Structures are given as C-alpha cells and as structure tokens.
Amino acid sequence: MRCFVAIDVEEREILRKICEVQRKLIAADYNHALKPVEEKNMHITVKFLGEINEKILPSLFEILKGIKFPRFTVTLKDVDFFPNERFIRVIYVRCLSEELNALAETVNEKVCKLGFEKEEFKGHLTLARVRGRLNGTLLKILKDVRNVYIGEMEVDKIKLKKSVLTPKGPVYNDLLKVALE
C-alpha cells in the first residue's frame, strides 16, 4: 500500500486562500495543463513512504506514536515550483517553520529504522501538478501570485495516510493520527 506522513490543512481561512490562488491558476489554464489538488486533499507531506508492506504497519504505528513533539505554527506563503522555474512539474506554496523542519527530520530518522530512505525535506503544499505545456497567460498569473501570503496555521497532529491512485485522482484514508503535545 502507498503511504505518507502528513499534516492536513483544516483551517477554513487557510483553505479559502489556497483555493483562491488555485482558482486564479485554473481560470488561466485554458489548455488544461494543470491537475489541481482537491480541497479535501490539501496537506503538507512530512515524509513520503511510498509502497509499503502491510506487515510493517504495527511497527510503523509504534514508531509514529512514540514521536513526542510540541505543537507549532507554520507559515504558508510564496508560490514556487518543482523541479525549477524553467521546467515546472509541480506548483506549490512554501510551508515555513523551523519546527516543521525539525519534525520532518525526527520522522525521517525514526522511520529509517524500518528501512526507509532518509530524504531531504522541503516544506510545501502542492497546489497543482503540471501535465502539459503552460500557456503565456498562466505563466503571467504564476508570476503575479509568486509572493502571495496565505497565512499561519497551528499544527497539532500528524497523520499516517494511505493513498490509492484512481483515474479521478488520489483517494486518501487516515490510518493513524498522532497528537502533538
């Protein structure tokens, strides 16, 4: 099963502002190059685990439940791109917080004990995936929203999520919820 550790975006005002940016992009996307993330799927990925064997779930649950980390605030601002501005495959909002970086590092270190690879973390919330050529109008809108401020949100839990890929897009299910202190 395909899994990841994430922070859901649940604050209505944050979601409203994210969707406002998305709507601007979608309105300029007349050649349907973008696959926007659905509002219900908005999250910050702390650690992508990929395909895992269900047999390790009890150990993974135990490791994640054992993480003791204080609640914190994360700032969502600025639109950016993976891998870079000249070759855009993913459009995202930066998620900035020293505590978020520390949490990701902690999760990374803990799950490595189960054989997962340690990866560099870059705090982000995906707005859309790019599946075609971006038109000039859309590129201009991207430039206009580049320095957007979405807001701050409190992070009080992380979740282990299962991701099932379907033709209509991914379906996420929570497997575990871990409250932060």
Side-chain angles (χ1 to χ4, degrees):
M1 90 177 55
R2 190 171 188 260
C3 294
F4 60 97
V5 178
I7 298 164
D8 280 339
V9 178
E10 298 170 335
E11 289 184 27
R12 296 303 317 155
E13 185 61 16
I14 296 290
L15 284 169
R16 185 189 68 73
K17 289 180 178 180
I18 291 167
C19 291
E20 191 176 294
V21 172
Q22 270 190 326
R23 277 192 295 280
K24 288 178 183 178
L25 299 176
I26 293 165
D29 184 28
Y30 53 79
N31 60 336
H32 308 289
L34 301 180
K35 172 71 173 112
V37 173
E38 293 180 58
E39 182 177 343
K40 67 181 180 183
N41 288 340
M42 295 285 178
H43 69 275
I44 302 166
T45 301
V46 176
K47 172 74 176 163
F48 181 72
L49 301 171
E51 288 294 328
I52 67 168
N53 187 321
E54 287 184 44
K55 291 177 184 175
I56 71 159
L57 280 179
S59 299
L60 185 56
F61 287 175
E62 190 176 319
I63 284 173
L64 293 175
K65 286 179 187 175
I67 292 175
K68 304 296 180 213
F69 205 88
R71 295 172 181 220
F72 61 91
T73 301
V74 64
T75 301
L76 287 83
K77 63 179 240 171
D78 301 334
V79 171
D80 209 346
F81 322 102
F82 286 134
N84 59 54
E85 194 171 348
R86 281 188 232 112
F87 184 68
I88 301 172
R89 301 308 309 137
V90 174
I91 301 168
Y92 67 90
V93 173
R94 291 176 187 245
C95 300
L96 307 171
S97 164
E98 288 301 318
E99 294 88 350
L100 175 61
N101 295 341
L103 174 63
E105 180 67 23
T106 299
V107 170
N108 228 336
E109 285 177 12
K110 300 280 187 189
V111 300
C112 281
K113 295 172 185 171
L114 293 176
F116 294 100
E117 288 186 29
K118 192 167 183 174
E119 298 168 339
E120 184 179 333
F121 175 75
K122 185 164 187 172
H124 71 282
L125 181 145
T126 301
L127 294 173
R129 288 175 175 72
V130 178
R131 57 183 180 196
R133 186 171 154 83
L134 301 179
N135 66 62
T137 305
L138 183 52
L139 290 171
K140 182 189 177 314
I141 298 295
L142 280 171
K143 191 176 254 187
D144 291 346
V145 299
R146 190 79 193 251
N147 296 315
V148 70
Y149 178 79
I150 301 294
E152 292 185 354
M153 69 176 219
E154 183 183 7
V155 177
D156 61 359
K157 64 185 155 298
I158 59 173
K159 294 179 178 180
L160 176 64
K161 293 182 160 290
K162 176 173 128 175
S163 171
V164 177
L165 301 178
T166 73
K168 292 183 179 183
V171 175
Y172 300 146
N173 293 302
D174 297 344
L175 299 176
L176 177 70
K177 186 187 315 181
V178 178
L180 301 182
E181 301 174 338

